[in-house]
């Protein structure tokens, strides 16, 4: 036991000592980096199987992973004070772009999410996943905490405006994530329990209103499908039924890699994107699922540790919000695929095949690492 | 009530964050635990049930591509047909050694690099149980050889599919167009669901314009498959709905007559019924063999088509804008009457050339000695340039632009074919925008005889002539019997009698002893028309035009527009003969021949030719 500990300490030495250490020089957090690489590896392995062993998909996934890792490296080297400085500008630009999407966005698959800049198609809602918590943290970091009622209202407005615009696109999944990222800032800043209880009650009251006025038909249908998937087995319920069959037939040990019959025979649509968890569970079984979710939990906890140790209010709030948003991703996706939650278009983070979301997530982890690695020398001790 | 104490507040905030973070961590743990519990329930408690469901889960949906609609001419002759063809397909999963199998097949069939690279690309992205075509359009020898080798080639299948065939080869190539394999750019635009199982799409001509109508609706087959995806039996079938047939107003017999009438010349002929805009013949020569394109054109064939100086892929009838030459003179005369610049009785002395006041440049008449005293009737019949120079000078380009635009010049006719160009009816605004120059008065003069910047397609000239022949009742030319065209507003003149003067002039082009095309006089019906010449290059002031010294490539283009019978026009023909030199002597007889075909039913000689073509090809 002591030998193990000693070995570990030696391995971590360069990082702890600080001077000349590779990780410190790169401003990376080895714990987080190791867990992320494991996760990306698991994702590539599963995508390869779920896309019918398509080399083309794997190659393009590798390119995105490369892009994500590069962006993380860059983001980690930018000190948090720069992020603080840039928060309002990034937020303002993002908000303007969202309005632009609403006005002249590119319509794809029935939703207006893309902005065609000629050479690249850009999804501003993706940027808001980072810009909204940055803005909320920026605002609250200049107020006394816990926040007073007026500050709470301003923060809520800062979160709800972009969230509403994203809902208009309509993109419920992203709106949910952006909203959650903003709300987490408030909760971590010490929003009083009375407000939290009041907010929950208001939410409960708003649901019937949302149902009749805000939700699109396809979103209502998803909720109805969740309540009774068997009612529409060839239509909307098909995904959930097939996904449950995939998971359930996997058993404790799984069918083994590349042996998913559900995805292999095309019963499970979108097997390599939003529903990749089902393919993973079918092939790697309950043991694989437990390991994967443990890995996710580890990343979330590491993020929270970074938040608690952060020297500035801004860093603390932002790091906490980014970690908890990551949790929302995982929970909404796995909950949806296992039939606990309605079908909302949220990918399994860093595992699903899907470019933009992965790149944003990696950028977020880069920021987390920056917050952790730019602590003043004394605080790092 | 108390002064804020920053240090204490900061510590308290930090404390709160720590507590909340711990709480959040616990919640995360519990909720992810719930997911694990749910998965455990699915994979342990309900495992048996889901294994059974997965076993039963053996239906697969397969698309059935629809048969493409046919294209018929006016008399029901098929211009675009579907014929069964055989193709060799491979099911990757059932092929034990792909490279060995491909090498084996290369000995049995003629495989080129394009076939192989397309196959490998499809192999990478496809599913292992979906069959992938390797070579299309097998000939009988190849089918026979394959049948012999089949037992040694597991996973190799010969499939019968329908392929597009154009039996009349180049004769209607510019009308019908062709289909080809769906390329990546088209893939982005089309509805992927509607094209599941379809490999071809209309690329040009009617095949492209009526793609939606011709394509049809995809069907589905619900199959029971085994655990490897192999089909066991068909559970349910929703048959595909074949595409609609398209019936044309074009008459293949007249098309053959028109094509033959052009002889060795290149050019375009458009014949329409002025009463309703039905296109009767639509020739652009040379044509090409559309069958080459259907299953991917070979590089050599494509190169030959592209590098051919006669440009066989270029649809001259609607994409070539030529100077319309003197064929615009009747409309000029009509504009002069309408704007009150001349009267039917007005006469002027037309010398050998015209000069603008205060300028040295001499605008020549085609007739060296000049025409002497002419009225509008003689000016049209003899195609007097000086008369129209003077008229254009007095009218000005603005009024010319307005009047000619009503006759469709400078805008597409809206025919049901892709690729139509709008030609050019110049104006001051156009010149400022396109060239950033002001409009010079001399340019008005040459526009008055249809030269200079003015450009029109043969199709536009046919429409313009039809509008004249019908005294302002403008129609849009169209090829499909069922085409729904936007109606055009009829042209109303101050006096109905103006039409008589101008149409009389066109009548006298042929039926008088002074008309430029009086050689065409006679015959069982009375035709009217107007000849024209489009300059290929400009003769310098000091030189005279010596046709013997010029090679044929430098000869002027010959144009002729005509309608018949004069009393009740049933056909309008516009012929554009590249390097035909003289409108009246080269293009005129060609127009006459097409009219004979339609009005006298004289397809005789050519009808035999049509049959020959259909049989030999």
């Amino acid at each position: 036991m002591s030998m193990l500990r000693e070995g570990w300490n030696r391995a971590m030495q360069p990082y702890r000592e600080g001077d000349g250490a590779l990780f410190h020089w790169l401003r990376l957090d080895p714990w987080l980096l190791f867990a992320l690489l494991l996760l990306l590896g698991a994702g590539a392995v599963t995508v390869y199987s779920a896309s019918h062993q398509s080399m083309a998909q794997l190659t393009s996934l590798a390119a995105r992973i490369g892009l994500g890792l590069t962006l993380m490296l860059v983001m980690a080297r930018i000190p948090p004070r720069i992020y603080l400085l840039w928060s309002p500008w990034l937020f303002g630009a993002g908000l303007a772009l969202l309005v632009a999407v609403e006005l002249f966005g590119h319509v794809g698959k029935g939703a207006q999410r893309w902005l065609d800049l000629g050479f690249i198609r850009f999804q501003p809602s993706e940027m808001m996943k980072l810009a909204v918590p940055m803005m909320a943290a920026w605002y609250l970091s200049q107020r006394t905490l816990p926040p007073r009622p007026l500050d709470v209202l301003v923060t809520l407005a800062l979160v709800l405006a972009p969230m509403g615009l994203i809902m208009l696109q309509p993109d419920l999944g992203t709106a949910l994530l952006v909203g959650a990222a903003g709300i987490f800032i408030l909760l971590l800043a010490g929003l009083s329990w009375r407000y939290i209880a009041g907010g929950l009650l208001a939410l409960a009251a708003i649901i019937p209103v949302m149902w009749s006025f805000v939700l699109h038909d396809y979103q209502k249908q998803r909720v109805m499908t969740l309540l009774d998937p068997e009612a529409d087995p060839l239509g909307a319920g098909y995904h959930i039924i097939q996904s449950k069959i995939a998971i359930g037939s996997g058993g404790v040990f799984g069918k083994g890699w590349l042996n998913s019959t559900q995805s292999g025979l095309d019963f499970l649509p979108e097997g390599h994107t939003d529903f990749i968890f089902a393919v993973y569970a079918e092939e790697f079984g309950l043991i694989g699922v437990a390991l994967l979710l443990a890995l996710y939990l580890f990343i979330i906890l590491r993020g929270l540790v970074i938040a608690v140790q952060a020297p500035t209010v801004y860093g603390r709030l932002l790091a906490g919000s980014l970690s908890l948003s990551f949790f929302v991703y995982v929970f909404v996706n796995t909950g949806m695929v296992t039939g606990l939650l309605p079908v909302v278009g949220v990918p399994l983070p860093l595992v699903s095949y899907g470019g933009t979301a992965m790149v944003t997530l990696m950028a977020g982890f880069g920021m987390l690492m920056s917050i952790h690695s730019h602590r003043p020398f004394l605080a790092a001790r | 009530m108390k002064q804020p104490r920053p240090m204490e507040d900061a510590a308290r905030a930090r404390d709160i964050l720590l507590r909340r973070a711990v709480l959040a961590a616990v919640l995360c743990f519990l909720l992810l635990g719930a997911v694990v519990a749910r998965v455990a329930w699915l994979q342990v408690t309900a495992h048996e049930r889901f294994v059974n469901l997965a076993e039963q889960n053996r239906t697969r949906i397969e698309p059935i591509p629809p048969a493409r609609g046919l294209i018929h001419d006016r008399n029901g002759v098929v211009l675009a047909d579907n014929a069964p063809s055989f193709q060799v397909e491979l099911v990757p999963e059932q092929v034990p050694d792909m490279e060995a199998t491909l090498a084996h097949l290369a000995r049995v069939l003629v495989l080129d690099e394009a076939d192989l690279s397309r196959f490998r690309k499809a192999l990478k992205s496809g599913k292992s149980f979906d069959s992938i075509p390797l070579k299309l359009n097998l000939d009988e020898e190849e089918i026979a050889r394959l049948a012999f080798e089949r037992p040694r080639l597991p996973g190799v299948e010969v499939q019968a599919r329908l392929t597009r065939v154009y039996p009349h080869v180049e004769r209607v190539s510019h009308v019908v167009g062709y289909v080809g394999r769906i390329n990546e750019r088209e893939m982005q635009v089309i509805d992927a669901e509607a094209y599941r199982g379809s490999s071809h799409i209309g690329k040009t001509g009617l095949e492209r314009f009526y793609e939606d109508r011709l394509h049809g609706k995809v069907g589905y087959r619900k199959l029971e498959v085994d655990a490897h995806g192999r089909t066991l039996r068909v559970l349910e079938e929703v048959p595909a709905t074949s595409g609609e047939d398209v019936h044309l107003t074009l008459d293949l017999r007249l098309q053959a007559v028109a094509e033959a009438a052009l002889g060795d010349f290149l050019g375009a002929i458009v014949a329409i019924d002025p009463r309703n805009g039905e296109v009767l013949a639509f020739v652009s020569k040379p044509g090409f063999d559309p069958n080459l394109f259907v299953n991917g054109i070979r590089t050599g064939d494509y190169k030959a088509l592209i590098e051919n100086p006669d440009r066989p892929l270029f649809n001259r009838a609607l994409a070539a804008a030529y100077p319309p030459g003197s064929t615009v003179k009747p409309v000029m005369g009509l504009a002069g009457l309408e704007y009150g610049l001349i009267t039917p009785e007005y006469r002027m002395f037309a010398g050998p050339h015209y000069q603008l006041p205060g300028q040295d440049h001499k605008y020549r008449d085609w007739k060296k000695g000049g025409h002497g005293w002419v009225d509008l009737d003689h000016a049209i019949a003899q195609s007097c340039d000086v008369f129209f120079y003077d008229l254009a000078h007095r009218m000005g380009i603005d009024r010319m632009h307005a009047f000619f635009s009503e006759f469709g010049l400078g805008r597409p006719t809206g025919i049901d074919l892709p690729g139509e160009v709008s030609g050019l009816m110049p104006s001051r605004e156009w010149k400022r925008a396109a060239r950033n120059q002001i409009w010079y008065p001399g340019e008005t003069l040459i526009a008055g005889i249809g030269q200079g910047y003015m450009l029109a397609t043969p199709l536009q000239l046919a429409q313009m002539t039809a509008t004249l022949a019908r005294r302002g009742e403008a129609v849009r030319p169209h090829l499909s019997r069922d085409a729904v065209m936007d109606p055009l507003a009829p042209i109303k003149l101050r006096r109905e009698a103006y039409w008589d003067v101008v149409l009389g002039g066109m009548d006298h082009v042929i039926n008088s002893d002074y008309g430029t095309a009086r050689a065409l006089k006679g015959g069982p019906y009375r035709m009217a028309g107007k000849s024209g010449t489009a300059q290929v290059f400009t003769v310098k002031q000091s030189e005279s035009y010596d046709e013997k010294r010029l090679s044929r490539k430098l000869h002027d283009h010959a144009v002729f527009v005509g309608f018949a019978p004069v009393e009740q026009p049933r056909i309008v023909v516009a012929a554009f003969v590249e390097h035909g030199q003289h409108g009246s002597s080269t293009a005129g007889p060609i127009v006459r021949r097409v009219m004979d075909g339609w009005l006298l039913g004289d397809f005789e000689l050519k009808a035999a030719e049509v049959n020959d073509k259909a049989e030999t090809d």
Side-chain angles (χ1 to χ4, degrees):
Chain A
M1 208 49 209
S2 67
M3 257 180 69
L4 252 176
R5 175 169 302 176
E6 201 170 312
W8 180 248
N9 283 341
R10 199 172 309 140
M12 288 293 105
Q13 195 92 345
Y15 171 67
R16 294 202 178 133
E17 291 293 303
D19 49 345
L22 180 68
F23 281 122
H24 188 254
W25 180 75
L26 285 173
R27 303 282 178 178
L28 294 180
D29 179 41
W31 295 94
L32 212 44
L33 183 67
F34 180 65
L36 290 175
L37 288 177
L38 263 181
L39 203 52
L40 289 167
V45 162
T46 319
V47 163
Y48 181 67
S49 168
S51 63
H52 309 289
Q53 303 168 36
S54 153
M55 270 325 278
Q57 299 256 30
L58 197 62
T59 319
S60 107
L61 178 74
R64 277 162 193 184
I65 290 178
L67 179 66
L69 285 171
T70 313
L71 193 60
M72 182 185 78
L73 275 173
V74 173
M75 297 293 274
R77 285 194 65 80
I78 300 172
R81 62 186 159 79
I82 302 288
Y83 291 126
L84 179 70
L85 224 57
W86 275 90
S87 293
W89 301 106
L90 203 66
F91 178 81
L95 209 58
L97 285 171
L98 278 179
V99 174
V101 164
E102 200 52 48
L103 295 181
F104 2 79
H106 180 89
V107 179
K109 284 191 180 171
Q112 205 165 5
R113 299 173 188 179
W114 302 90
L115 204 58
D116 207 333
L117 298 180
F119 58 101
I120 194 171
R121 288 201 306 171
F122 177 73
Q123 214 176 341
S125 57
E126 208 48 54
M127 182 175 118
M128 286 316 250
K129 285 181 187 170
L130 298 176
V132 165
M134 281 166 82
M135 181 66 191
W138 174 83
Y139 178 76
L140 287 178
S141 67
Q142 303 175 5
R143 309 275 138 179
T144 55
L145 294 183
R148 288 169 304 184
L150 183 67
D151 297 334
V152 173
L153 284 179
V154 171
T155 314
L156 273 179
L158 288 175
V159 175
L160 291 178
M163 193 180 161
L165 282 171
I166 296 169
M167 264 189 173
L168 278 177
Q169 292 183 352
D171 185 353
L172 189 63
T174 307
L176 196 82
L177 287 165
V178 167
I183 298 300
F184 285 138
I185 297 273
L186 268 179
L187 294 180
L188 291 168
L191 183 68
S192 89
W193 287 109
R194 267 184 307 172
Y195 288 129
I196 296 174
L200 286 175
L201 277 176
L203 204 64
I206 268 176
I207 284 172
V209 179
M210 292 266 289
W211 182 262
S212 18
F213 298 112
V214 180
L215 286 186
H216 281 255
D217 280 342
Y218 81 97
Q219 290 162 339
K220 285 188 204 173
Q221 207 176 14
R222 282 175 178 181
V223 178
M224 291 309 288
T225 302
L226 168 83
L227 299 176
D228 186 15
E230 277 76 15
D232 185 13
L234 280 178
Y238 185 79
H239 275 73
I240 294 186
I241 294 172
Q242 294 301 338
S243 151
K244 274 158 66 178
I245 292 175
I247 298 170
S249 64
V252 176
F253 301 102
K255 293 177 186 169
W257 187 45
L258 300 183
N259 288 335
S260 159
T261 59
Q262 281 295 101
S263 160
L265 296 184
D266 247 9
F267 295 121
L268 186 66
E270 297 181 47
H272 61 298
T273 54
D274 287 0
F275 279 81
I276 199 165
F277 185 69
V279 178
Y280 178 90
E282 185 183 0
E283 294 190 347
F284 301 107
L286 184 59
I287 295 175
V289 169
L291 285 174
L292 183 72
L293 291 181
L295 190 57
Y296 275 123
L297 189 66
F298 173 80
I299 292 173
I300 295 158
L301 293 182
R302 179 67 194 157
L304 288 174
V305 167
I306 288 175
V308 170
Q309 292 183 354
T312 64
V313 176
Y314 177 76
R316 278 201 292 273
L317 294 180
L318 185 58
S321 164
L322 289 176
S323 317
L324 292 177
S325 303
F326 186 70
F327 163 77
V328 172
Y329 252 115
V330 180
F331 183 66
V332 170
N333 178 274
T334 54
M336 152 182 101
V337 175
T338 54
L340 286 174
L341 296 175
V343 177
V344 177
V346 170
L348 187 63
L350 305 186
V351 171
S352 281
Y353 177 89
T356 351
M358 169 178 290
V359 173
T360 319
L361 280 164
M362 293 303 283
F365 281 113
M367 290 170 76
L368 263 180
M369 292 185 183
S370 156
I371 290 167
H372 198 57
S373 59
H374 286 85
R375 283 170 299 160
F377 185 67
L378 271 173
R381 279 278 146 185
Chain B
M1 64 187 186
K2 266 191 247 171
Q3 283 290 93
R5 287 163 296 177
M7 281 309 282
E8 237 172 77
D9 274 357
R12 205 175 130 226
R14 202 170 181 146
D15 206 39
I16 290 175
L17 183 115
L18 179 63
R19 270 187 281 139
R20 299 242 163 136
V22 170
L23 186 66
V26 172
L27 265 174
C28 291
F29 179 79
L30 289 178
L31 287 173
L32 289 184
V35 172
V36 175
R38 169 73 173 177
V39 173
W41 180 80
L42 290 170
Q43 294 192 319
V44 180
T45 319
H47 179 58
E48 289 303 315
R49 182 155 72 89
F50 285 118
V51 166
N52 287 335
L53 281 173
E55 280 299 303
Q56 290 161 17
N57 213 348
R58 285 196 175 156
T59 54
R60 198 146 68 80
I61 306 244
E62 198 181 71
I64 309 172
R68 197 171 173 85
L70 306 184
I71 300 177
H72 305 269
D73 93 333
R74 173 177 203 103
N75 305 308
V77 180
V78 176
L79 306 180
D81 203 355
N82 296 326
S85 84
F86 293 90
Q87 59 188 56
V88 58
E89 297 181 354
L90 277 73
V91 183
E93 185 189 68
Q94 294 167 17
V95 177
D97 180 351
M98 185 57 78
E99 285 313 308
T101 305
L102 286 178
H104 192 157
L105 281 171
R107 289 195 298 273
V108 181
L109 312 167
V110 185
L111 289 178
D112 61 15
E113 263 318 299
D115 290 331
L116 281 171
S117 72
R118 188 160 41 222
F119 176 80
R120 284 182 207 281
K121 219 169 169 184
L123 187 64
K124 255 196 248 169
S125 57
K127 288 156 204 154
S128 58
F129 51 81
D130 270 353
S131 67
I132 302 169
L134 173 63
K135 190 184 181 199
L136 315 175
N137 255 341
L138 301 174
D139 60 33
E140 276 167 35
E141 209 185 313
E142 286 175 317
I143 297 169
R145 272 200 299 250
L146 261 181
F148 181 72
E149 299 283 340
R150 266 286 295 289
R152 269 153 293 185
L153 292 167
V156 176
E157 286 168 12
V158 175
Q159 284 277 357
R161 293 271 152 104
L162 287 177
T163 191
R164 202 65 157 171
V165 172
Y166 303 102
H168 303 287
V169 204
E170 55 239 30
R171 177 153 297 152
V172 283
S173 54
H174 287 293
V175 178
V176 172
Y178 54 82
V179 298
R181 285 164 171 274
I182 302 173
N183 63 31
E184 269 175 48
R185 210 180 54 233
E186 285 154 348
M187 210 65 196
Q188 315 256 311
V189 186
I190 56 174
D191 174 8
E193 271 309 300
Y195 278 83
R196 274 192 72 181
S198 301
S199 52
H200 287 72
I201 191 167
K203 299 273 184 178
T204 63
L206 292 165
E207 290 274 32
R208 171 150 154 224
F209 193 89
Y210 287 115
E211 173 64 26
D212 292 346
R213 238 205 259 181
L214 290 163
H215 178 256
K217 208 165 156 265
V218 67
Y220 288 97
R221 199 178 283 133
K222 204 168 167 191
L223 303 170
E224 184 178 324
V225 295
D226 67 11
H228 300 286
R230 276 180 277 258
T231 306
L232 299 177
R233 81 197 154 98
V234 178
L235 296 174
E236 193 186 317
E237 194 171 313
V238 178
T241 314
S242 301
E244 277 176 61
D245 287 4
V246 171
H247 295 270
L248 304 189
T249 59
L250 183 129
D251 191 317
L252 186 64
R253 296 171 305 171
L254 192 66
Q255 181 85 358
V257 165
E259 190 192 43
L262 265 177
D264 294 338
F265 287 111
L266 307 183
I269 299 177
V270 177
I272 63 177
D273 186 331
R275 295 167 298 180
N276 46 28
E278 289 185 352
V279 174
L280 308 172
F282 192 93
V283 174
S284 170
K285 205 173 164 184
F288 58 93
D289 181 358
N291 294 299
L292 294 175
F293 287 88
V294 175
N295 289 314
I297 188 163
R298 287 178 198 276
T299 324
D301 290 338
Y302 190 62
K303 213 175 150 200
L305 283 174
I306 286 295
E307 289 177 357
N308 187 338
D310 293 339
R311 302 177 69 193
L313 295 179
F314 183 49
N315 192 341
R316 290 164 163 78
L318 53 69
Y322 303 96
S326 302
T327 57
V328 301
K329 285 175 182 168
V331 179
M332 268 304 287
L334 206 57
L337 292 168
E338 176 69 6
Y339 291 130
L341 301 170
I342 52 174
T343 63
E345 296 77 32
Y346 166 86
R347 277 150 61 88
M348 77 171 279
F349 185 82
H353 52 75
Y354 184 79
Q355 270 175 299
L356 282 172
Q359 278 189 20
D360 288 341
H361 190 98
K362 289 175 177 170
Y363 295 89
R364 277 190 250 237
D365 198 287
W366 65 271
K367 196 173 178 181
K368 283 200 183 104
H371 295 265
W373 284 96
V374 286
D375 60 5
L376 179 56
D377 177 78
H378 277 69
I380 292 174
Q382 295 181 6
S383 202
C384 173
D385 289 337
V386 167
F387 184 93
F388 289 101
Y389 287 145
D390 178 61
L391 183 57
H393 176 56
R394 292 195 285 141
M395 196 180 297
I397 191 64
D398 298 334
R399 286 196 276 186
M400 280 170 65
H401 179 84
F403 201 78
F404 274 100
S405 298
E406 285 205 63
F407 279 80
L409 265 67
R411 60 174 74 138
T413 64
I415 192 175
D416 44 355
L417 276 180
E420 191 185 5
V421 300
S422 47
L424 180 61
M425 183 59 221
S427 65
R428 285 177 212 278
E429 291 72 34
W430 164 80
K431 202 176 173 205
R432 200 174 306 120
R435 313 247 163 148
N436 195 23
Q437 282 174 354
I438 60 155
W439 184 264
Y440 297 109
E443 290 165 345
T444 312
L445 298 201
I446 53 171
I449 61 161
Q451 308 283 6
Y453 297 121
M454 206 172 182
L455 296 172
T457 64
L459 181 63
Q460 282 175 322
L461 290 188
Q463 188 190 32
M464 178 186 83
T465 309
T467 309
L468 276 173
R470 293 279 296 161
R471 295 162 172 266
E473 299 288 332
V475 289
R476 286 191 195 273
H478 56 88
L479 277 155
S480 163
R481 204 177 61 188
D482 315 308
V484 183
M485 311 300 288
D486 292 338
L488 286 164
I491 298 168
K492 283 269 167 259
L493 297 185
R494 288 190 298 146
R495 283 200 199 137
E496 198 60 17
Y498 293 160
W499 293 107
D500 298 327
V501 181
V502 168
L503 294 177
M506 290 178 80
D507 183 31
H508 292 152
V509 168
I510 292 145
N511 303 301
S512 71
D513 47 13
Y514 50 85
T516 52
R518 56 187 180 274
L520 299 173
K521 192 161 36 172
Y525 60 89
R526 197 177 169 98
M527 103 182 233
K530 183 74 198 82
S531 59
T533 309
Q535 282 181 8
V536 170
F537 80 120
T538 321
V539 184
K540 289 200 194 99
Q541 287 280 299
S542 54
E543 284 175 67
S544 71
Y545 186 102
D546 181 358
E547 40 189 68
K548 285 200 192 94
R549 273 178 39 217
L550 299 170
S551 77
R552 185 158 165 189
K553 279 282 155 209
L554 295 174
H555 284 176
D556 288 342
H557 300 318
V559 204
F560 200 94
V561 297
F563 60 90
V566 169
E567 305 78 21
Q568 289 262 286
R570 299 206 315 266
I571 183 170
V572 163
V573 182
F576 219 104
V577 184
E578 287 187 3
H579 310 300
Q581 215 163 358
H582 297 297
S584 45
S585 57
T586 316
I590 293 172
V591 168
R592 178 89 202 197
R593 178 68 194 93
V594 177
M595 288 180 172
D596 282 352
W598 188 244
L599 296 174
L600 308 178
D602 178 14
F603 307 116
E604 276 302 308
L605 226 155
K606 320 296 175 201
E609 232 183 59
V610 177
N611 289 336
D612 282 351
K613 272 266 182 202
E615 274 160 30
T616 49
D617 291 309

